[in-house]
Amino acid sequence: MVLECKMFGKRLKNPVILASGILGMTKASLERCCEDGCGGVTAKSLTPEARKGHDGPNIVETGCGLLNAMGYPNPGIEKGLEEFGSWKRPEALIISIVGKDTDEFTMLAEKVESAKKTLGATALEAAISCPHTPGYGVMAGQGTPENVDKITRAIKSACSLPLIIKLSPSLPGEVKQALAAEKAGADAINMGNSLGPGMKIDLQRKKPVLGFGMGGLSGPAIKPIAIRCVYDIYAAVDIPIIGTGGINCGEDAIEMMMAGASFVSVGTAAYYRGPSVFGEIAKEMDAWMKDNRISSIGKIVGAANE
Amino acid sequence: MVLQMNEMLSKRVKKVVKENYRVTTIEVEHALEDAVPGQFIMVWIPGAGEKPMSIGNRYPLTISVADVGPFSGALSKLKSGDMLSFRGPYGKPFIIPKGSKRILVIGGGYGVVPMYFLARTAKEEGIETVAVIGGRSIKDIIYEKQLFAVCREVFITTDDGSRGKKGNVMAEASSLIEGKGFDCVYCCGPERMMHAIATLCKEHGIACQVSVERYMKCGVGVCGSCSVDGRLCCIDGPVFSAEDALALSEFGKKHRDASGILKDY
Protein backbone atom coordinates (compact mmCIF):
# COMPACT_ATOMS: atom_id res chain seq x y z
CA MET A 1 0.00 0.00 0.00
CA VAL A 2 2.79 2.44 0.89
CA LEU A 3 4.21 2.05 -2.60
CA GLU A 4 0.97 2.79 -4.45
CA CYS A 5 1.26 5.66 -6.85
CA LYS A 6 -0.41 7.12 -9.90
CA MET A 7 1.00 7.44 -13.39
CA PHE A 8 -1.11 9.80 -15.51
CA GLY A 9 -4.20 8.81 -13.52
CA LYS A 10 -3.55 5.07 -13.56
CA ARG A 11 -3.09 3.55 -10.13
CA LEU A 12 0.11 1.47 -9.91
CA LYS A 13 1.00 -1.02 -7.19
CA ASN A 14 4.52 0.43 -7.05
CA PRO A 15 6.75 2.90 -8.90
CA VAL A 16 9.12 0.21 -10.27
CA ILE A 17 9.05 0.30 -14.07
CA LEU A 18 10.73 -2.12 -16.46
CA ALA A 19 13.19 -0.06 -18.55
CA SER A 20 12.88 -0.12 -22.31
CA GLY A 21 15.10 -2.57 -24.15
CA ILE A 22 15.23 -5.06 -21.29
CA LEU A 23 13.21 -8.27 -21.66
CA GLY A 24 10.40 -6.43 -23.47
CA MET A 25 10.65 -8.05 -26.89
CA THR A 26 7.26 -9.76 -26.52
CA LYS A 27 4.00 -9.03 -24.77
CA ALA A 28 4.30 -12.31 -22.86
CA SER A 29 7.68 -11.22 -21.54
CA LEU A 30 6.22 -7.87 -20.39
CA GLU A 31 3.41 -9.75 -18.66
CA ARG A 32 5.95 -11.90 -16.87
CA CYS A 33 7.73 -8.77 -15.60
CA CYS A 34 4.36 -7.60 -14.22
CA GLU A 35 3.90 -10.93 -12.49
CA ASP A 36 7.45 -10.61 -11.19
CA GLY A 37 6.42 -7.36 -9.53
CA CYS A 38 6.74 -4.33 -11.85
CA GLY A 39 4.30 -1.49 -11.37
CA GLY A 40 4.69 -0.72 -15.06
CA VAL A 41 6.59 -1.93 -18.09
CA THR A 42 8.18 -0.31 -21.11
CA ALA A 43 8.08 -2.23 -24.38
CA LYS A 44 11.11 -2.60 -26.65
CA SER A 45 11.60 0.60 -28.64
CA LEU A 46 9.90 0.58 -32.02
CA THR A 47 11.22 2.04 -35.27
CA PRO A 48 9.32 2.55 -38.55
CA GLU A 49 10.68 -0.69 -40.06
CA ALA A 50 11.87 -3.97 -38.53
CA ARG A 51 15.50 -3.99 -37.36
CA LYS A 52 17.77 -6.90 -36.56
CA GLY A 53 20.04 -4.81 -34.37
CA HIS A 54 23.82 -4.92 -34.18
CA ASP A 55 25.85 -8.07 -34.68
CA GLY A 56 26.97 -9.79 -31.49
CA PRO A 57 28.46 -9.76 -28.99
CA ASN A 58 25.72 -7.40 -27.87
CA ILE A 59 26.59 -7.38 -24.22
CA VAL A 60 29.73 -7.60 -22.14
CA GLU A 61 30.50 -7.34 -18.46
CA THR A 62 32.97 -4.63 -17.44
CA GLY A 63 33.37 -5.21 -13.70
CA CYS A 64 31.41 -2.05 -12.89
CA GLY A 65 28.36 -2.65 -15.03
CA LEU A 66 27.28 -3.97 -18.39
CA LEU A 67 28.26 -2.54 -21.73
CA ASN A 68 25.64 -3.21 -24.39
CA ALA A 69 25.04 -2.42 -28.02
CA MET A 70 21.78 -4.06 -29.07
CA GLY A 71 21.08 -1.62 -31.90
CA TYR A 72 17.30 -1.50 -31.50
CA PRO A 73 16.22 -4.95 -32.70
CA ASN A 74 12.44 -4.70 -33.06
CA PRO A 75 9.66 -5.88 -35.37
CA GLY A 76 8.81 -2.37 -36.59
CA ILE A 77 6.00 -0.09 -35.41
CA GLU A 78 3.09 -1.94 -37.02
CA LYS A 79 3.97 -5.46 -35.94
CA GLY A 80 5.18 -4.11 -32.59
CA LEU A 81 1.86 -2.43 -31.80
CA GLU A 82 0.10 -5.68 -32.74
CA GLU A 83 2.45 -7.60 -30.44
CA PHE A 84 2.13 -5.31 -27.41
CA GLY A 85 -1.45 -4.13 -27.97
CA SER A 86 -4.73 -5.02 -26.22
CA TRP A 87 -3.02 -4.47 -22.88
CA LYS A 88 -5.51 -5.11 -20.11
CA ARG A 89 -3.37 -5.55 -17.02
CA PRO A 90 -3.43 -3.24 -13.99
CA GLU A 91 0.26 -2.38 -14.55
CA ALA A 92 1.09 0.52 -16.87
CA LEU A 93 2.25 -0.25 -20.40
CA ILE A 94 4.56 2.37 -21.86
CA ILE A 95 5.13 2.21 -25.61
CA SER A 96 8.61 3.38 -26.63
CA ILE A 97 9.46 4.89 -30.00
CA VAL A 98 12.76 5.92 -31.54
CA GLY A 99 13.05 7.93 -34.73
CA LYS A 100 15.84 9.35 -36.83
CA ASP A 101 14.23 12.77 -37.15
CA THR A 102 11.01 14.66 -36.44
CA ASP A 103 9.35 13.14 -39.53
CA GLU A 104 9.99 9.62 -38.27
CA PHE A 105 8.86 10.52 -34.75
CA THR A 106 5.70 12.06 -36.22
CA MET A 107 4.99 8.97 -38.30
CA LEU A 108 5.56 6.68 -35.28
CA ALA A 109 3.38 8.87 -33.06
CA GLU A 110 0.60 8.82 -35.67
CA LYS A 111 0.68 5.02 -35.75
CA VAL A 112 0.45 4.92 -31.97
CA GLU A 113 -2.43 7.40 -32.06
CA SER A 114 -4.39 5.32 -34.56
CA ALA A 115 -3.88 2.18 -32.46
CA LYS A 116 -4.58 4.02 -29.20
CA LYS A 117 -8.12 2.74 -28.62
CA THR A 118 -7.16 -0.91 -28.54
CA LEU A 119 -3.58 -0.47 -27.34
CA GLY A 120 -4.29 -0.04 -23.62
CA ALA A 121 -1.07 1.94 -23.14
CA THR A 122 -0.71 4.47 -20.32
CA ALA A 123 1.97 6.56 -21.98
CA LEU A 124 4.23 6.99 -24.96
CA GLU A 125 7.97 7.30 -24.42
CA ALA A 126 10.29 8.83 -27.00
CA ALA A 127 13.94 7.98 -26.48
CA ILE A 128 16.40 10.51 -27.88
CA SER A 129 19.26 9.17 -25.83
CA CYS A 130 20.67 5.88 -27.16
CA PRO A 131 24.49 6.20 -27.16
CA HIS A 132 25.31 3.45 -29.65
CA THR A 133 23.01 3.37 -32.68
CA PRO A 134 23.94 5.43 -35.76
CA GLY A 135 21.12 7.71 -36.82
CA TYR A 136 19.42 7.72 -33.43
CA GLY A 137 19.72 9.48 -30.09
CA VAL A 138 23.13 10.69 -29.03
CA MET A 139 24.81 9.62 -32.28
CA ALA A 140 22.30 11.71 -34.24
CA GLY A 141 22.71 14.75 -32.01
CA GLN A 142 19.10 14.61 -30.83
CA GLY A 143 20.00 15.68 -27.32
CA THR A 144 19.97 19.45 -27.72
CA PRO A 145 17.25 21.79 -26.37
CA GLU A 146 16.37 22.75 -29.98
CA ASN A 147 15.95 19.14 -31.11
CA VAL A 148 14.11 18.17 -27.92
CA ASP A 149 11.71 21.03 -28.59
CA LYS A 150 11.11 19.99 -32.21
CA ILE A 151 10.71 16.28 -31.47
CA THR A 152 8.44 16.87 -28.48
CA ARG A 153 6.18 19.22 -30.43
CA ALA A 154 6.03 16.85 -33.39
CA ILE A 155 4.97 13.91 -31.22
CA LYS A 156 2.53 15.93 -29.12
CA SER A 157 0.76 17.16 -32.23
CA ALA A 158 0.40 13.61 -33.57
CA CYS A 159 -0.47 11.58 -30.49
CA SER A 160 -2.69 12.32 -27.52
CA LEU A 161 -1.12 9.79 -25.12
CA PRO A 162 0.87 11.31 -22.24
CA LEU A 163 4.42 11.78 -23.55
CA ILE A 164 7.62 10.88 -21.71
CA ILE A 165 10.86 12.23 -23.18
CA LYS A 166 13.82 10.00 -22.36
CA LEU A 167 17.06 11.97 -21.97
CA SER A 168 20.68 10.89 -21.97
CA PRO A 169 23.10 11.15 -19.05
CA SER A 170 25.93 11.21 -21.62
CA LEU A 171 25.46 14.81 -22.68
CA PRO A 172 25.86 18.10 -20.87
CA GLY A 173 22.79 20.30 -20.53
CA GLU A 174 20.21 17.73 -19.44
CA VAL A 175 18.40 20.41 -17.42
CA LYS A 176 18.05 22.61 -20.51
CA GLN A 177 16.77 19.63 -22.47
CA ALA A 178 14.27 18.79 -19.73
CA LEU A 179 13.04 22.39 -19.66
CA ALA A 180 12.70 22.38 -23.44
CA ALA A 181 10.68 19.16 -23.27
CA GLU A 182 8.41 20.54 -20.57
CA LYS A 183 7.85 23.78 -22.45
CA ALA A 184 7.06 21.88 -25.66
CA GLY A 185 4.35 19.89 -23.88
CA ALA A 186 6.04 16.73 -22.57
CA ASP A 187 4.14 15.15 -19.70
CA ALA A 188 7.14 13.56 -18.00
CA ILE A 189 10.90 13.19 -18.26
CA ASN A 190 12.65 9.85 -18.16
CA MET A 191 16.10 10.87 -17.00
CA GLY A 192 18.50 8.17 -17.91
CA ASN A 193 19.78 5.74 -20.45
CA SER A 194 22.97 3.78 -20.70
CA LEU A 195 26.01 6.06 -20.49
CA GLY A 196 28.58 6.37 -23.17
CA PRO A 197 29.49 5.18 -25.61
CA GLY A 198 32.14 3.11 -23.88
CA MET A 199 34.37 0.29 -25.01
CA LYS A 200 35.78 -2.99 -23.73
CA ILE A 201 38.80 -4.51 -25.44
CA ASP A 202 39.57 -8.22 -25.24
CA LEU A 203 43.27 -8.57 -24.42
CA GLN A 204 43.80 -11.85 -26.21
CA ARG A 205 41.90 -10.94 -29.38
CA LYS A 206 43.18 -7.35 -29.19
CA LYS A 207 39.78 -6.17 -30.38
CA PRO A 208 36.71 -4.45 -28.97
CA VAL A 209 34.39 -7.20 -27.72
CA LEU A 210 31.09 -5.67 -28.77
CA GLY A 211 30.07 -6.37 -32.35
CA PHE A 212 29.41 -2.66 -32.80
CA GLY A 213 32.73 -1.81 -31.15
CA MET A 214 31.23 0.49 -28.57
CA GLY A 215 28.18 0.43 -26.37
CA GLY A 216 26.29 1.99 -23.51
CA LEU A 217 27.31 1.43 -19.90
CA SER A 218 24.59 0.48 -17.44
CA GLY A 219 24.48 -0.79 -13.89
CA PRO A 220 26.08 0.31 -10.61
CA ALA A 221 28.74 2.55 -12.19
CA ILE A 222 26.23 5.01 -13.65
CA LYS A 223 23.91 5.38 -10.67
CA PRO A 224 25.60 8.45 -9.13
CA ILE A 225 25.40 10.26 -12.46
CA ALA A 226 21.73 9.37 -12.90
CA ILE A 227 20.98 10.51 -9.34
CA ARG A 228 22.67 13.86 -9.93
CA CYS A 229 20.84 14.41 -13.23
CA VAL A 230 17.47 13.67 -11.61
CA TYR A 231 18.31 15.94 -8.69
CA ASP A 232 19.09 18.86 -10.98
CA ILE A 233 16.09 18.31 -13.25
CA TYR A 234 13.70 18.02 -10.29
CA ALA A 235 14.74 21.48 -9.19
CA ALA A 236 13.98 22.86 -12.65
CA VAL A 237 10.77 21.25 -13.94
CA ASP A 238 7.27 20.65 -12.60
CA ILE A 239 6.44 17.49 -14.58
CA PRO A 240 7.12 14.07 -13.06
CA ILE A 241 10.46 12.30 -13.56
CA ILE A 242 11.25 8.66 -14.12
CA GLY A 243 14.75 7.96 -12.78
CA THR A 244 16.79 5.46 -14.76
CA GLY A 245 20.32 4.21 -14.23
CA GLY A 246 21.95 1.69 -11.92
CA ILE A 247 18.97 0.92 -9.69
CA ASN A 248 19.84 -2.48 -8.25
CA CYS A 249 18.00 -2.64 -4.92
CA GLY A 250 15.28 -0.99 -2.88
CA GLU A 251 17.61 1.54 -1.30
CA ASP A 252 18.89 2.59 -4.73
CA ALA A 253 15.27 3.21 -5.74
CA ILE A 254 14.57 5.22 -2.57
CA GLU A 255 17.70 7.31 -3.24
CA MET A 256 16.54 7.98 -6.80
CA MET A 257 13.13 9.08 -5.54
CA MET A 258 14.68 11.34 -2.92
CA ALA A 259 16.59 12.96 -5.77
CA GLY A 260 13.26 13.74 -7.38
CA ALA A 261 12.00 10.75 -9.35
CA SER A 262 8.33 9.79 -9.03
CA PHE A 263 9.10 6.44 -10.67
CA VAL A 264 12.25 4.38 -11.08
CA SER A 265 13.03 2.28 -14.08
CA VAL A 266 15.02 -0.89 -13.72
CA GLY A 267 16.91 -2.84 -16.37
CA THR A 268 20.42 -4.14 -15.76
CA ALA A 269 19.42 -5.34 -12.27
CA ALA A 270 17.61 -8.17 -14.09
CA TYR A 271 21.05 -9.39 -15.13
CA TYR A 272 22.57 -9.12 -11.66
CA ARG A 273 19.60 -10.49 -9.74
CA GLY A 274 17.42 -12.31 -12.29
CA PRO A 275 14.00 -11.38 -13.69
CA SER A 276 12.34 -11.62 -10.26
CA VAL A 277 14.30 -8.49 -9.29
CA PHE A 278 11.39 -6.09 -9.91
CA GLY A 279 9.24 -7.50 -7.13
CA GLU A 280 12.28 -7.85 -4.89
CA ILE A 281 13.15 -4.17 -5.29
CA ALA A 282 9.53 -3.24 -4.51
CA LYS A 283 9.64 -5.42 -1.36
CA GLU A 284 12.92 -3.83 -0.28
CA MET A 285 11.43 -0.36 -0.81
CA ASP A 286 8.38 -1.37 1.18
CA ALA A 287 10.57 -2.62 4.05
CA TRP A 288 12.60 0.60 4.05
CA MET A 289 9.44 2.69 4.13
CA LYS A 290 8.09 0.70 7.08
CA ASP A 291 11.40 0.82 8.96
CA ASN A 292 11.45 4.55 8.52
CA ARG A 293 7.74 4.94 9.28
CA ILE A 294 6.89 6.76 6.11
CA SER A 295 3.32 6.06 5.08
CA SER A 296 3.39 6.93 1.40
CA ILE A 297 6.05 6.76 -1.26
CA GLY A 298 4.96 10.13 -2.62
CA LYS A 299 6.34 11.77 0.52
CA ILE A 300 9.95 10.95 -0.31
CA VAL A 301 9.88 12.26 -3.89
CA GLY A 302 12.37 15.09 -4.07
CA ALA A 303 13.09 14.93 -0.31
CA ALA A 304 16.78 15.58 -0.97
CA ASN A 305 15.90 18.78 -2.77
CA GLU A 306 14.00 20.38 0.09
CA MET B 1 28.86 -7.17 -7.22
CA VAL B 2 31.56 -8.12 -9.71
CA LEU B 3 30.19 -11.10 -11.58
CA GLN B 4 32.30 -13.27 -13.80
CA MET B 5 29.40 -15.03 -15.52
CA ASN B 6 29.87 -12.98 -18.62
CA GLU B 7 33.64 -13.14 -18.94
CA MET B 8 34.94 -13.82 -22.44
CA LEU B 9 37.61 -16.52 -22.63
CA SER B 10 39.87 -17.24 -25.60
CA LYS B 11 41.49 -20.67 -25.87
CA ARG B 12 43.46 -22.54 -28.52
CA VAL B 13 41.71 -25.01 -30.78
CA LYS B 14 43.29 -28.42 -30.21
CA LYS B 15 41.61 -30.54 -32.83
CA VAL B 16 39.21 -30.09 -35.73
CA VAL B 17 37.23 -33.03 -37.12
CA LYS B 18 35.09 -32.87 -40.26
CA GLU B 19 32.07 -34.97 -39.29
CA ASN B 20 30.41 -34.78 -42.69
CA TYR B 21 29.82 -32.44 -45.62
CA ARG B 22 28.68 -29.62 -43.34
CA VAL B 23 29.31 -30.45 -39.68
CA THR B 24 32.66 -29.72 -38.03
CA THR B 25 33.62 -30.66 -34.49
CA ILE B 26 36.00 -28.33 -32.65
CA GLU B 27 37.89 -29.35 -29.53
CA VAL B 28 39.47 -26.62 -27.42
CA GLU B 29 42.44 -26.81 -25.05
CA HIS B 30 40.27 -26.02 -22.10
CA ALA B 31 38.23 -27.78 -19.44
CA LEU B 32 34.87 -26.09 -18.94
CA GLU B 33 34.64 -27.65 -15.49
CA ASP B 34 31.21 -26.40 -14.51
CA ALA B 35 29.50 -27.25 -17.81
CA VAL B 36 26.76 -29.88 -17.69
CA PRO B 37 24.82 -31.52 -20.56
CA GLY B 38 22.15 -29.34 -22.15
CA GLN B 39 23.98 -26.07 -21.49
CA PHE B 40 25.42 -23.79 -24.12
CA ILE B 41 28.23 -21.30 -24.62
CA MET B 42 28.16 -18.05 -26.58
CA VAL B 43 30.90 -18.29 -29.21
CA TRP B 44 32.44 -15.06 -30.53
CA ILE B 45 34.25 -14.74 -33.81
CA PRO B 46 35.64 -11.21 -34.16
CA GLY B 47 34.09 -9.69 -37.26
CA ALA B 48 31.52 -12.46 -37.71
CA GLY B 49 29.43 -12.09 -34.56
CA GLU B 50 28.38 -14.24 -31.67
CA LYS B 51 26.04 -17.26 -31.48
CA PRO B 52 24.94 -19.81 -28.89
CA MET B 53 26.45 -23.29 -29.37
CA SER B 54 25.48 -26.48 -27.61
CA ILE B 55 28.25 -28.04 -25.51
CA GLY B 56 29.30 -31.49 -26.75
CA ASN B 57 31.81 -32.21 -24.03
CA ARG B 58 33.32 -30.56 -20.97
CA TYR B 59 36.94 -31.68 -21.35
CA PRO B 60 38.16 -30.94 -23.82
CA LEU B 61 35.51 -28.28 -24.39
CA THR B 62 33.84 -29.48 -27.60
CA ILE B 63 31.30 -27.98 -29.96
CA SER B 64 29.98 -29.12 -33.33
CA VAL B 65 28.87 -26.63 -35.92
CA ALA B 66 26.85 -27.06 -39.11
CA ASP B 67 27.98 -24.70 -41.86
CA VAL B 68 24.69 -23.02 -42.72
CA GLY B 69 25.54 -19.30 -42.77
CA PRO B 70 28.26 -16.66 -42.50
CA PHE B 71 28.90 -17.17 -38.77
CA SER B 72 28.86 -20.98 -38.81
CA GLY B 73 30.91 -20.88 -42.02
CA ALA B 74 33.61 -18.81 -40.31
CA LEU B 75 33.51 -21.12 -37.28
CA SER B 76 33.82 -24.19 -39.51
CA LYS B 77 37.03 -22.76 -40.98
CA LEU B 78 38.90 -22.71 -37.66
CA LYS B 79 42.07 -24.79 -37.63
CA SER B 80 44.07 -26.41 -34.89
CA GLY B 81 46.08 -23.68 -33.13
CA ASP B 82 43.50 -20.95 -33.86
CA MET B 83 41.77 -19.18 -31.01
CA LEU B 84 38.17 -19.84 -30.00
CA SER B 85 36.50 -17.14 -27.89
CA PHE B 86 33.48 -17.93 -25.79
CA ARG B 87 31.56 -17.14 -22.61
CA GLY B 88 29.45 -19.46 -20.51
CA PRO B 89 28.30 -22.08 -19.73
CA TYR B 90 24.74 -20.83 -19.66
CA GLY B 91 21.25 -22.21 -19.34
CA LYS B 92 19.32 -24.89 -17.52
CA PRO B 93 20.76 -28.36 -18.19
CA PHE B 94 19.23 -31.79 -18.65
CA ILE B 95 18.54 -33.37 -15.29
CA ILE B 96 18.82 -37.10 -14.64
CA PRO B 97 16.29 -37.93 -11.89
CA LYS B 98 17.83 -39.47 -8.78
CA GLY B 99 17.75 -43.26 -8.83
CA SER B 100 17.56 -43.49 -12.63
CA LYS B 101 18.88 -46.74 -14.07
CA ARG B 102 18.18 -46.43 -17.75
CA ILE B 103 17.62 -43.42 -19.99
CA LEU B 104 16.76 -42.91 -23.66
CA VAL B 105 18.44 -40.12 -25.61
CA ILE B 106 17.09 -39.06 -29.00
CA GLY B 107 19.00 -36.75 -31.31
CA GLY B 108 17.96 -35.46 -34.71
CA GLY B 109 20.64 -34.02 -37.04
CA TYR B 110 23.25 -32.15 -35.02
CA GLY B 111 20.91 -32.39 -32.01
CA VAL B 112 22.97 -35.47 -31.19
CA VAL B 113 25.76 -33.24 -29.84
CA PRO B 114 24.29 -32.53 -26.37
CA MET B 115 22.87 -36.08 -26.35
CA TYR B 116 26.39 -37.45 -26.52
CA PHE B 117 27.48 -35.24 -23.60
CA LEU B 118 24.45 -36.50 -21.66
CA ALA B 119 25.05 -40.18 -22.47
CA ARG B 120 28.70 -39.84 -21.51
CA THR B 121 27.77 -38.21 -18.20
CA ALA B 122 25.16 -40.90 -17.54
CA LYS B 123 27.75 -43.62 -18.12
CA GLU B 124 30.11 -41.97 -15.63
CA GLU B 125 27.28 -42.16 -13.11
CA GLY B 126 26.59 -45.84 -13.87
CA ILE B 127 23.37 -45.17 -15.74
CA GLU B 128 22.63 -47.15 -18.88
CA THR B 129 21.80 -45.18 -22.03
CA VAL B 130 20.02 -46.19 -25.22
CA ALA B 131 20.35 -43.74 -28.10
CA VAL B 132 18.30 -43.07 -31.22
CA ILE B 133 19.93 -40.80 -33.77
CA GLY B 134 18.40 -39.72 -37.02
CA GLY B 135 19.25 -37.73 -40.11
CA ARG B 136 18.07 -37.14 -43.64
CA SER B 137 20.59 -39.53 -45.12
CA ILE B 138 23.65 -41.63 -44.21
CA LYS B 139 25.85 -38.56 -44.66
CA ASP B 140 23.88 -36.67 -42.02
CA ILE B 141 24.51 -39.22 -39.27
CA ILE B 142 27.17 -37.88 -36.92
CA TYR B 143 28.56 -38.85 -33.48
CA GLU B 144 27.76 -42.51 -34.19
CA LYS B 145 31.10 -43.89 -32.97
CA GLN B 146 31.16 -41.61 -29.95
CA LEU B 147 27.67 -42.73 -28.93
CA PHE B 148 28.50 -46.43 -29.42
CA ALA B 149 31.32 -45.94 -26.91
CA VAL B 150 29.04 -44.71 -24.14
CA CYS B 151 25.64 -46.30 -24.90
CA ARG B 152 24.24 -49.77 -24.39
CA GLU B 153 22.54 -49.62 -27.79
CA VAL B 154 22.42 -47.10 -30.62
CA PHE B 155 19.55 -47.08 -33.12
CA ILE B 156 19.89 -45.16 -36.35
CA THR B 157 17.21 -43.85 -38.69
CA THR B 158 17.45 -41.99 -42.00
CA ASP B 159 14.67 -40.40 -44.00
CA ASP B 160 15.85 -42.15 -47.16
CA GLY B 161 16.79 -45.47 -45.55
CA SER B 162 20.43 -45.19 -46.59
CA ARG B 163 21.49 -46.10 -43.04
CA GLY B 164 19.49 -47.84 -40.28
CA LYS B 165 15.73 -47.87 -40.33
CA LYS B 166 13.95 -45.78 -42.95
CA GLY B 167 11.98 -42.87 -41.53
CA ASN B 168 12.49 -40.25 -38.85
CA VAL B 169 13.62 -40.98 -35.29
CA MET B 170 10.04 -41.96 -34.40
CA ALA B 171 10.53 -45.15 -36.45
CA GLU B 172 12.71 -46.45 -33.62
CA ALA B 173 11.83 -44.16 -30.71
CA SER B 174 8.10 -44.85 -30.53
CA SER B 175 8.41 -48.55 -29.74
CA LEU B 176 11.22 -47.83 -27.27
CA ILE B 177 9.10 -45.21 -25.48
CA GLU B 178 6.00 -47.44 -25.57
CA GLY B 179 8.10 -50.25 -24.06
CA LYS B 180 8.37 -48.05 -20.95
CA GLY B 181 11.81 -49.29 -20.00
CA PHE B 182 13.26 -45.83 -19.34
CA ASP B 183 13.33 -43.55 -16.32
CA CYS B 184 13.56 -40.49 -18.54
CA VAL B 185 13.62 -39.62 -22.25
CA TYR B 186 15.77 -36.76 -23.58
CA CYS B 187 15.46 -35.18 -26.99
CA CYS B 188 17.27 -32.54 -29.01
CA GLY B 189 16.64 -31.86 -32.68
CA PRO B 190 14.13 -30.21 -35.02
CA GLU B 191 11.31 -28.75 -32.96
CA ARG B 192 8.48 -30.70 -34.61
CA MET B 193 10.36 -33.90 -33.81
CA MET B 194 10.79 -32.85 -30.18
CA HIS B 195 7.10 -31.98 -30.07
CA ALA B 196 6.19 -35.48 -31.29
CA ILE B 197 8.53 -37.16 -28.76
CA ALA B 198 7.30 -34.97 -25.90
CA THR B 199 3.67 -35.70 -26.80
CA LEU B 200 4.27 -39.46 -26.96
CA CYS B 201 6.10 -39.46 -23.61
CA LYS B 202 3.28 -37.47 -22.02
CA GLU B 203 0.71 -39.98 -23.35
CA HIS B 204 2.69 -42.83 -21.79
CA GLY B 205 3.41 -41.03 -18.55
CA ILE B 206 7.17 -41.08 -19.07
CA ALA B 207 9.37 -38.21 -17.90
CA CYS B 208 10.87 -36.33 -20.85
CA GLN B 209 13.09 -33.28 -21.34
CA VAL B 210 13.68 -31.36 -24.56
CA SER B 211 16.04 -28.58 -25.65
CA VAL B 212 14.23 -25.56 -27.10
CA GLU B 213 16.26 -23.35 -29.42
CA ARG B 214 15.37 -19.71 -30.02
CA TYR B 215 17.14 -16.72 -31.56
CA MET B 216 19.40 -15.36 -28.85
CA LYS B 217 21.36 -12.15 -28.48
CA CYS B 218 22.61 -11.70 -24.91
CA GLY B 219 22.39 -15.25 -23.51
CA VAL B 220 22.08 -13.95 -19.95
CA GLY B 221 18.41 -13.00 -19.51
CA VAL B 222 18.56 -9.32 -20.38
CA CYS B 223 17.51 -8.66 -23.97
CA GLY B 224 14.36 -10.78 -24.22
CA SER B 225 15.03 -11.98 -27.80
CA CYS B 226 14.56 -15.66 -26.84
CA SER B 227 11.30 -15.09 -24.97
CA VAL B 228 8.54 -17.68 -25.49
CA ASP B 229 5.36 -17.02 -23.50
CA GLY B 230 7.44 -15.00 -21.07
CA ARG B 231 9.91 -17.84 -20.50
CA LEU B 232 13.47 -17.01 -21.56
CA CYS B 233 15.22 -19.82 -23.40
CA CYS B 234 18.63 -18.58 -22.25
CA ILE B 235 18.01 -18.71 -18.49
CA ASP B 236 14.73 -20.62 -18.03
CA GLY B 237 15.80 -23.08 -20.76
CA PRO B 238 17.05 -24.23 -23.17
CA VAL B 239 16.06 -27.50 -21.47
CA PHE B 240 12.40 -27.73 -20.54
CA SER B 241 10.39 -30.66 -19.24
CA ALA B 242 8.07 -32.07 -21.91
CA GLU B 243 5.14 -30.77 -19.88
CA ASP B 244 6.51 -27.22 -19.75
CA ALA B 245 7.54 -27.29 -23.41
CA LEU B 246 4.12 -28.54 -24.56
CA ALA B 247 2.51 -25.73 -22.56
CA LEU B 248 4.47 -23.13 -24.57
CA SER B 249 2.10 -21.75 -27.21
CA GLU B 250 4.84 -21.56 -29.84
CA PHE B 251 6.58 -24.91 -29.20
CA GLY B 252 6.75 -26.92 -32.42
CA LYS B 253 4.82 -24.23 -34.28
CA LYS B 254 6.47 -20.82 -34.35
CA HIS B 255 9.70 -19.02 -33.54
CA ARG B 256 10.89 -15.42 -33.72
CA ASP B 257 13.55 -13.95 -35.99
CA ALA B 258 16.24 -11.43 -35.02
CA SER B 259 13.67 -8.60 -35.17
CA GLY B 260 11.23 -10.47 -32.94
CA ILE B 261 8.80 -11.27 -35.78
CA LEU B 262 6.94 -14.59 -35.40
CA LYS B 263 7.61 -17.16 -38.14
CA ASP B 264 6.12 -20.58 -38.74
CA TYR B 265 8.31 -23.63 -38.34
Side-chain angles (χ1 to χ4, degrees), chain A residues 23 26 32 44 52 75 205, chain B residues 85 217 222-223 227 230 236 259:
Chain A
L23 298 170
T26 66
R32 175 192 176 159
K44 204 93 167 175
K52 289 181 175 173
R205 306 307 297 243
Chain B
S85 299
K217 272 176 109 74
V222 175
C223 75
S227 149
D236 299 319
S259 307

Side-chain angles (χ1 to χ4, degrees), chain A residues 179-196:
Chain A
L179 282 166
E182 182 180 45
K183 204 176 154 207
D187 300 281
I189 301 293
N190 184 341
M191 181 58 242
N193 202 319
S194 58
L195 181 74

Side-chain angles (χ1 to χ4, degrees), chain B residues 160-182:
Chain B
D160 63 2
S162 54
R163 179 88 170 85
K165 204 173 223 177
K166 186 172 176 171
N168 62 23
V169 291
M170 286 305 253
E172 292 285 8
S174 36
S175 58
L176 288 165
I177 291 167
E178 283 156 11
K180 297 195 177 190
F182 300 97

Side-chain angles (χ1 to χ4, degrees), chain A residues 251-275:
Chain A
E251 293 195 355
D252 291 345
I254 298 284
E255 186 184 352
M256 186 62 94
M257 295 184 79
M258 284 185 178
S262 297
F263 309 92
V264 293
S265 90
V266 173
T268 303
Y271 164 73
Y272 288 110
R273 299 179 58 185

